Amino acid sequence: MLDQEFERIGKRLFLEGLVGANFGNMSVRTEGGFFITRTGAYLDAREMPAFVPETGDAPREASSEYRVHREVYLETPHRTIVHAHPVHAVAASLDADIVRPADSEGGMLCPEIPIVPGNPGTDEIAHNVAEALRGGHIVIVRGHGTFAAGKTLDEAYIYTSIAEYACRILFLTGRLGRVL
């Protein structure tokens, strides 16, 4: 059933343009570790995720971003994570340290979206994302993408969508520089 849930959310991410090709990943926390998409997997295709233990080595087939997911689960109460590459959010991250949505939904649900540094697959990105998600549900890694966390994959997906929508509104209204 987990493979079906990953496929369902993956299709939503792909259809909304929040991921492309085989970019992005997602995970669900469970007893003793978490299940994460496999490295190179297409998020909109059904494939059984890999299990990564809380400590120790991750299996080779686990997403290269397993360090981020592990650190978030060790440092926060979040149960799920969605990592996507939304174009407008990534673009906004190149010139800002924080995004303050101007639209009503973004302002209500994530009034400030932090932007953190870190190279993909490193301990640095894992630490920075976990730190940012201690007090919220969404973070943008500069030039890379979003990490959203919540109780369910649906909740993490919604925060991903809200962040991209908010950044798109800022670009379309020309308010990006004034709101960040």
Side-chain angles (χ1 to χ4, degrees):
M1 299 243 312
L2 197 52
D3 59 335
Q4 293 174 351
E5 190 67 0
F6 275 48
E7 177 189 27
R8 183 179 69 79
I9 297 298
K11 283 182 177 179
R12 294 185 95 167
L13 291 164
F14 186 75
L15 288 172
E16 197 172 325
L18 300 172
V19 295
N22 60 347
F23 304 135
N25 48 68
M26 62 186 107
S27 69
V28 173
R29 179 187 257 180
T30 189
E31 185 69 32
F34 57 95
F35 286 96
I36 191 169
T37 48
R38 294 172 178 267
T39 189
Y42 292 97
L43 296 187
D44 61 343
R46 186 174 302 171
E47 187 173 349
M48 194 59 193
F51 178 76
V52 177
E54 281 180 7
T55 60
D57 294 334
R60 284 189 8 235
E61 66 270 15
S63 167
S64 61
E65 293 290 11
Y66 77 87
R67 287 173 188 84
V68 174
H69 295 250
R70 180 183 274 166
E71 185 89 9
V72 170
Y73 292 140
L74 290 173
E75 299 294 327
T76 75
H78 295 301
R79 307 287 308 159
T80 63
I81 299 168
V82 169
H83 168 50
H85 297 193
V87 174
H88 294 89
V90 171
S93 76
L94 298 174
D95 295 320
D97 293 322
I98 194 163
V99 171
R100 291 183 180 89
D103 62 295
S104 59
E105 288 79 12
M108 232 178 357
L109 297 172
C110 46
E112 292 188 345
I113 304 170
I115 298 170
V116 299
N119 290 320
T122 64
D123 290 335
E124 176 193 18
I125 190 177
H127 171 76
N128 292 341
V129 168
E131 182 74 24
L133 290 177
R134 277 193 187 119
H137 292 276
I138 184 82
V139 60
I140 305 170
V141 176
R142 188 174 317 285
H144 181 56
T146 57
F147 283 88
K151 294 180 186 123
T152 65
L153 284 174
D154 280 300
E155 183 180 16
Y157 158 76
I158 288 168
Y159 279 105
T160 303
S161 182
I162 288 169
E164 175 63 357
Y165 186 82
C167 290
R168 198 172 345 170
I169 294 293
L170 293 172
F171 275 108
L172 290 172
T173 60
R175 300 180 65 192
L176 191 61
R178 294 192 310 256
V179 178
L180 296 178

